[in-house]
């Protein structure tokens, strides 16, 4: 692709990142973290991009988080040198890869079971590990203060692992739409976390870092004073699901779009665009039309490759529309590259470096 290229000349569907909005989002979160005196370790599961990770680190982030080992391997190969893995790594083959990666970059990983501590301790001496504490959703993590202390003892008993701290990520709380309800739920969960940290302290374990939080809760987390590091991911792009939430803290702007083309316009009150189930993640409702069709034009998934827009004054055959994805992270994973928008022109393209790296 030769850049610059007018936006409307891109083949669609195309994943677009607005460079100015992205830059402002990165700066706003970096300034917030600095003002609050907390470290920032943005979650790269959202963007899977070496280019964007480097921009976050240049703006002051301590490093990044990755959800999966393959994601971390891909971003490390692209030059990202400080990664925390937020999901447990348990099979012998994966632990070998973990050990190999830890020889190349500054790496840490969560653990939630003493057996896993022993396995990683035997294969990856010197690695920094975090006790993953289940906030009640039962995705991963130890489920009581006593289990956290038992795990800390198992980590110490390896004689090879370093306890970096505790991870606490309240996933199901991030999208509670009402800020007051979200805050009340997080205050209650933070009291629980305080009990876990107190138990670890009473048992003689130092907890240097408390890492966690997401775009829905980071401002609440920072105000409650327990977290030393924020793992925010989606703030970088926002998405329809987060735009629907009453967020606290700095204001972020939508920075991620899917551009599409009207490919059929034969039915009154409806047109078909070339963006369907393969163009957007489908777990969080429908995308919102931002440009190219009247406000309030409703989108519906109609097939693998197609979606319908319904309403009045719809665009004509061949016209372009731009939509905000319902859920950014799994939408990004559907594309090979971002097209970088600046001043109405596509000025660059960045690979989705870790696309599909889920193993
Ligand atoms: N930390 C962990 C462990 C996560 O799983 C996620 C997202 O799922 C995040 C942080 C980032 O959350 P958000 O995208 O809501 O900012
Ligand atoms: Mn998400």
């Amino acid at each position: 692709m030769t850049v610059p290229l007018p936006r409307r000349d891109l083949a669609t569907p195309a994943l677009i990142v607005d460079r100015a909005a992205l830059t402002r989002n990165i700066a706003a979160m970096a300034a917030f973290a600095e003002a609050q005196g907390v470290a920032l370790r943005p979650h790269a599961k959202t963007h899977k991009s070496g280019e964007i990770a480097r921009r976050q680190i240049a703006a002051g982030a301590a490093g990044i988080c990755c959800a999966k080992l393959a994601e971390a391997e891909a971003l490390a190969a692209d030059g990202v040198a400080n990664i925390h893995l937020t999901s447990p790594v348990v099979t012998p083959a994966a632990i070998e890869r973990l050990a190999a990666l830890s020889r190349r970059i500054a790496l840490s990983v969560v653990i939630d079971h003493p057996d896993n501590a022993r396995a990683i301790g035997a294969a990856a001496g010197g690695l920094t590990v975090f006790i993953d504490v289940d906030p009640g959703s039962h995705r991963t993590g130890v489920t009581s203060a006593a289990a956290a202390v038992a795990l800390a003892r198992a980590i110490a008993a390896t004689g090879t692992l370093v306890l970096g701290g505790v991870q606490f990520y309240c996933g199901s709380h991030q999208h509670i739409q009402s800020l007051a309800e979200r805050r009340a739920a997080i205050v209650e969960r933070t009291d629980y976390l305080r009990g876990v940290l107190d138990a670890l302290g009473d048992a003689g374990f130092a907890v240097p870092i408390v890492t966690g939080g997401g775009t829905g809760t980071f401002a609440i987390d920072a105000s409650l004073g327990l977290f030393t590091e924020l793992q925010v991911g989606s703030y970088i792009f926002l998405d329809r699901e987060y735009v629907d939430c009453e967020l606290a803290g700095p204001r972020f702007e939508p920075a991620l779009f899917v551009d599409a083309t009207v490919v059929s316009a034969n039915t009154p009150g409806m047109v078909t665009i070339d963006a369907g189930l393969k163009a957007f993640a489908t777990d969080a409702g429908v995308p919102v039309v931002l440009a190219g069709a009247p406000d309030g034009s409703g989108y519906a998934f109609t097939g693998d490759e197609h979606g319908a827009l319904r309403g009045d004054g719809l665009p004509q055959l061949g016209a372009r529309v731009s939509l905000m994805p319902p859920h950014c992270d799994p939408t990004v994973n559907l594309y090979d590259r971002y097209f970088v928008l600046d001043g109405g022109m596509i000025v660059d393209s960045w690979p989705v470096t870790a696309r599909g790296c889920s193993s």
Side-chain angles (χ1 to χ4, degrees):
M1 189 188 77
T2 326
V3 290
L5 178 79
R7 179 179 188 171
R8 72 149 294 122
D9 290 350
L10 274 181
T12 58
L15 188 68
I16 309 276
V17 62
D18 179 327
R19 190 165 63 183
L22 179 88
T23 303
R24 287 190 291 270
N25 289 345
I26 290 172
M29 187 62 90
F32 174 85
E34 192 178 357
Q36 297 286 320
V38 291
L40 190 59
R41 182 177 284 280
H43 213 310
K45 73 196 283 285
T46 304
H47 54 71
K48 288 178 166 279
S49 155
E51 174 69 37
I52 296 178
R54 280 189 288 280
R55 286 165 185 253
Q56 291 172 313
I57 291 166
I64 58 165
C65 295
C66 285
K68 295 298 187 70
L69 192 50
E71 193 171 83
E73 288 167 336
L75 291 175
D78 198 30
V80 179
N82 189 319
I83 299 180
H84 169 64
L85 266 172
T86 60
S87 308
V89 173
V90 302
T91 66
I95 291 171
E96 280 308 316
R97 287 163 55 201
L98 184 77
L101 186 60
S102 75
R103 290 191 284 272
R104 297 203 292 278
I105 63 164
L107 183 68
S108 58
V109 66
V110 292
I111 292 189
D112 77 359
H113 196 282
D115 289 348
N116 190 218
R118 287 185 276 275
I120 292 182
L127 189 64
T128 297
V129 297
F130 283 71
I131 297 174
D132 190 12
V133 177
D134 175 12
S137 55
H138 305 322
R139 181 172 79 174
T140 59
V142 293
T143 57
S144 67
V149 171
L151 181 53
R153 292 203 171 107
I155 290 167
T158 65
T160 60
L161 298 179
V162 179
L163 178 59
V166 159
Q167 174 176 291
F168 192 68
Y169 177 67
C170 295
S172 56
H173 293 79
Q174 299 301 324
H175 291 98
I176 298 175
Q177 289 197 345
S178 145
L179 178 57
E181 282 174 31
R182 199 175 336 118
R183 179 182 293 279
I186 288 296
V187 166
E188 187 276 330
R189 286 292 78 197
T190 302
D191 286 343
Y192 171 70
L193 174 61
R194 190 174 291 109
V196 175
L197 296 175
D198 287 348
L200 286 165
D202 292 347
F205 294 103
V207 181
I209 295 176
V210 180
T211 186
T215 300
T217 65
F218 73 93
I220 307 166
D221 295 321
S223 76
L224 295 175
L226 279 193
F227 284 85
T228 67
E229 183 178 275
L230 301 174
Q231 296 186 350
V232 280
S234 303
Y235 78 97
I236 187 119
F237 296 142
L238 287 191
D239 52 24
R240 205 226 64 244
E241 222 183 350
Y242 266 128
V243 168
D244 290 348
C245 281
E246 203 184 337
L247 294 180
R251 286 184 61 79
F252 302 107
E253 304 166 48
L256 186 77
F257 314 105
V258 171
D259 279 10
T261 303
V262 175
V263 293
S264 184
N266 292 333
T267 305
M270 181 199 139
V271 297
T272 292
I273 63 173
D274 59 356
L277 300 170
K278 293 182 187 171
F280 301 101
T282 58
D283 62 300
V286 289
V288 171
V289 181
L290 290 179
D295 277 359
S297 304
Y299 175 94
F301 289 104
T302 53
D304 292 348
E305 329 292 346
H306 298 119
L309 295 184
R310 292 194 174 83
D312 296 323
L314 289 171
Q316 297 184 342
L317 187 65
R320 310 284 289 221
V321 291
S322 186
L323 303 102
M324 182 175 8
H327 186 183
C328 55
D329 329 47
T331 297
V332 165
N333 198 45
L334 298 169
Y335 292 86
D336 286 332
R337 52 189 51 254
Y338 297 93
F339 291 102
V340 182
L341 177 71
D342 198 357
M345 297 292 283
I346 301 303
V347 295
D348 207 348
S349 86
W350 299 336
V352 180
T353 318
R355 178 184 183 194
C357 296
S358 298
S359 56

